[in-house]
Amino acid sequence: AQLKPEEQIEYRQAGYSFMAWNMGKIKAQVVDGSVPYNKAQVVAAANAIAAIANSGMGSLYGPGTATDQMGDKTRLKPEFFKNLDEANKLARNFTGAVDKLASEAASGDQARIKTAFGEVGKTCKACHDQFRTK
Ligand code: ASC
């Protein structure tokens, strides 16, 4: 059965929250250097992000799950549902960048991981800029 709008919002927020935790680990080790680089941890983090991003999150963006109906439970702009082709394109850019981050993590090349991490961040931001309220 289709999840209720409240449930869709809860699960997608849980997914983004867990991805953000893992992005933070990669950032600390590979971008900031505030934590020593540990290949296995970065691989695990990148794989966790990829698994979540590729788990079918699109099904958590059903009708009635934007701010017009759900108020401050979500930051999803109602415009999302009028621009689904654009939303799908942004989602594909995101999963593509995440898959690249996972493959670079496996290589262990920190410079390449850093670049791929930056590319993932851009695809996060592209969707926020268009479809997330401030
Ligand atoms: C993160 C996070 C985001 C993105 C974004 C990239 O780690 O929580 O929302 O990266 O900041 O621009």
Side-chain angles (χ1 to χ4, degrees), residues 16 19-21 23-24 27 117 120-126 128 132:
Y16 291 120
M19 288 192 283
W21 176 55
M23 285 290 278
K27 182 171 186 283
F117 178 90
V120 170
K122 286 182 201 168
T123 68
C124 298
K125 185 173 187 299
H128 298 165
R132 193 176 78 171

Side-chain angles (χ1 to χ4, degrees), residues 47-114:
N47 287 345
I49 293 165
I52 294 167
N54 289 303
S55 68
M57 291 188 75
S59 66
L60 301 175
Y61 285 82
T65 65
T67 55
D68 53 340
Q69 304 203 37
M70 299 306 292
D72 65 9
K73 290 189 193 305
T74 182
R75 284 183 284 176
L76 185 67
K77 291 180 182 174
E79 293 91 286
F80 177 91
F81 294 104
K82 298 184 186 116
N83 297 281
L84 289 176
D85 288 348
E86 175 68 8
N88 279 312
K89 189 187 84 179
L90 293 170
R92 283 195 305 273
N93 290 346
F94 173 58
T95 55
V98 157
D99 290 344
K100 174 87 170 165
L101 177 60
S103 65
E104 299 291 32
S107 83
D109 183 327
Q110 290 184 65
R112 295 183 66 100
I113 297 166
K114 185 176 173 179

